[in-house]
């Protein structure tokens, strides 16, 4: 499946879930907004952290969402690769496989 399709499917699934539990979705949305807008780290740095966690926890949907956000911030392929290298160092072989997926996602979504 193409990463753009993965993003569309993920958004459809999240919309469905949000309808089933609107209060929880609203609370999670507020948490996300607070975390992304507050603190001392810039948004791009926070997205790099999120990408590392997405790779380490093997979450395809998370990889797609955070790569998309990083593309919007103007992240370079070299920056993405540096984050992926750190993710591999922390997560070993399984993280290497998901790092490959994340780089493929970046390559697809950054065109």
């Amino acid at each position: 499946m193409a990463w753009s399709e993965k993003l569309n499917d993920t958004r459809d699934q999240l919309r469905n879930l949000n309808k089933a539990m609107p209060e929880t979705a609203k609370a999670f949305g507020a948490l996300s907004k607070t975390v992304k807008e507050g603190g001392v780290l810039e948004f791009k740095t926070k997205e790099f952290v999120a990408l590392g966690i997405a790779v380490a926890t093997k979450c395809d949907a998370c990889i797609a969402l955070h790569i998309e956000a990083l593309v919007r911030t103007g992240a370079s392929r070299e920056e993405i690769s540096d984050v992926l290298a750190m993710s591999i160092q922390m997560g070993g072989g399984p993280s290497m496989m998901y790092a490959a997926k994340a780089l493929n996602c970046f390559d697809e979504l950054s065109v």
Side-chain angles (χ1 to χ4, degrees):
M1 173 183 294
W3 287 101
S4 54
E5 291 176 43
K6 172 63 96 177
L7 280 168
N8 289 335
D9 288 350
T10 297
R11 288 197 177 94
D12 287 345
Q13 292 166 5
L14 287 173
R15 276 191 285 277
N16 188 42
L17 182 64
N18 292 346
K19 287 178 188 173
M21 45 178 226
E23 292 303 312
T24 301
K26 183 178 176 182
F28 186 78
L31 172 64
S32 293
K33 182 177 180 181
T34 300
V35 169
K36 289 177 182 177
E37 293 176 359
V40 297
L41 297 176
E42 63 180 79
F43 177 74
K44 184 177 178 181
T45 301
K46 292 176 182 186
E47 286 296 324
F48 284 141
V49 171
L51 176 60
I53 293 168
V55 168
T57 59
K58 304 168 197 71
C59 178
D60 284 349
C62 301
I63 288 170
L65 290 168
H66 294 293
I67 287 285
E68 181 185 50
L70 284 161
V71 167
R72 282 186 276 139
T73 70
S76 69
R77 192 172 197 272
E78 292 77 17
E79 289 173 314
I80 296 293
S81 296
D82 208 23
V83 170
L84 297 177
M86 191 67 206
S87 301
I88 291 167
Q89 188 270 325
M90 294 300 293
S95 288
M96 189 160 192
M97 298 302 105
Y98 276 80
K101 286 184 174 198
L103 190 58
N104 178 262
C105 179
F106 179 82
D107 289 344
E108 180 184 319
L109 296 180
S110 63
V111 262

